[in-house]
Amino acid sequence: SQELEQSPQSLIVQEGKNLTINCTSSKTLYGLYWYKQKYGEGLIFLMMLQKGGEEKSHEKITAKLDEKKQQSSLHITASQPSHAGIYLCGAALMEYGNKLVFGAGTILRVKS
Amino acid sequence: ETGVTQTPRHLVMGMTNKKSLKCEQHLGHNAMYWYKQSAKKPLELMFVYNFKEQTENNSVPSRFSPECPNSSHLFLHLHTLQPEDSALYLCASSQGRQSRYEQYFGPGTRLTVT
């Protein structure tokens, strides 16, 4: 079993539509990272959330951290083809000290 | 662009070969990491170095041997690998070892073991 579950596993949206990706931890977390990856390439850092209720935005991407639910959501508004890729969440979990664990990723395709 | 470079980008090697992966960061960071990304599996942390000292070895088989000569360079020496070792190997760096510092990743080396 994985400490971080991402949902959905994959997603196809029409260009211009909004979408949400979720990341849920089975253990207490004290930091949550969102990364984007193009297939076969490195990860690009998007945002880091550290406090419960924290919300950050970058261009059309917004991420929130719900500490009580041990969950984070990534919301993309008015999706564009450039948003396509794999979105990964990574978390610092109390149990593992400073080590980051990652979810399996959500594959996003945006249809023009 | 990310400040972390990896070479080679692609590598095909036989099970009896010896090869090395190289990672270099130009960000002035003190911590460096090796990760393995296999198909349909989460990213797995392999090794962590902080100020050139190895601080974590995540039960990685001895056929993978890391080396960190200084805070800017990290190597992964490979020998007698197995086909199941085929994966994308990613290097990352961060300002410090603590999880509050975001990690910056290189583009990865796609390794195929035949």
Side-chain angles (χ1 to χ4, degrees):
Chain A
S1 64
Q2 295 175 201
E3 287 90 355
L4 287 185
E5 293 284 345
Q6 284 188 240
S7 63
Q9 290 184 337
S10 63
L11 191 56
I12 303 174
V13 298
Q14 192 67 41
E15 183 177 357
K17 296 293 186 183
N18 302 337
L19 65 105
T20 299
I21 298 168
N22 292 304
C23 176
T24 303
S25 173
S26 61
K27 302 183 189 301
T28 303
L29 56 83
Y30 59 94
L32 195 292
Y33 294 80
W34 283 102
Y35 286 88
K36 180 186 175 185
Q37 184 181 29
K38 290 288 179 76
Y39 178 75
E41 297 183 9
L43 280 63
I44 298 169
F45 172 73
L46 295 176
M47 277 170 277
M48 175 177 70
L49 305 165
Q50 288 191 303
K51 300 175 186 176
E54 188 172 14
E55 179 176 324
K56 288 187 177 178
S57 293
H58 176 67
E59 297 179 344
K60 292 186 178 179
I61 302 176
T62 300
K64 299 179 186 179
L65 179 62
D66 185 333
E67 206 168 50
K68 286 184 181 177
K69 291 183 181 178
Q70 298 180 159
Q71 182 180 68
S72 178
S73 59
L74 185 84
H75 185 76
I76 298 178
T77 304
S79 58
Q80 300 169 2
S82 60
H83 288 127
I86 304 168
Y87 288 83
L88 293 128
C89 64
L93 304 179
M94 289 288 185
E95 201 161 313
Y96 298 118
N98 285 308
K99 185 175 90 169
L100 284 189
V101 294
F102 285 85
T106 294
I107 302 171
L108 172 63
R109 285 179 53 194
V110 180
K111 289 167 46 177
S112 301
Chain B
E1 184 179 277
T2 63
V4 182
T5 58
Q6 288 187 243
T7 55
R9 293 294 309 276
H10 301 272
L11 179 63
V12 179
M13 59 186 288
M15 291 191 285
T16 58
N17 292 158
K18 287 185 180 180
K19 296 285 184 183
S20 295
L21 309 185
K22 179 182 176 182
C23 174
E24 184 173 359
Q25 59 96 0
H26 312 274
L27 301 168
H29 288 167
N30 299 309
M32 295 188 77
Y33 311 77
W34 278 117
Y35 285 90
K36 176 184 179 183
Q37 189 176 38
S38 305
K40 299 182 181 179
K41 289 177 70 175
L43 208 59
E44 300 172 64
L45 179 66
M46 299 175 72
F47 302 102
V48 182
Y49 278 82
N50 194 34
F51 291 98
K52 304 188 298 178
E53 299 297 319
Q54 188 179 125
T55 59
E56 188 148 352
N57 176 337
N58 226 25
S59 303
V60 180
S62 59
R63 56 185 183 270
F64 295 91
S65 174
E67 179 190 1
C68 188
N70 54 61
S71 292
S72 299
H73 294 85
L74 186 63
F75 295 90
L76 188 62
H77 303 299
L78 316 171
H79 63 99
T80 59
L81 294 191
Q82 305 298 311
E84 59 265 28
D85 296 323
S86 299
L88 181 68
Y89 288 85
L90 292 161
C91 171
S93 71
S94 61
Q95 185 178 340
R97 177 68 189 94
Q98 294 77 10
S99 58
R100 67 175 181 270
Y101 298 111
E102 60 266 29
Q103 295 179 23
Y104 291 87
F105 284 77
T109 295
R110 172 68 63 187
L111 173 67
T112 303
V113 181
T114 60

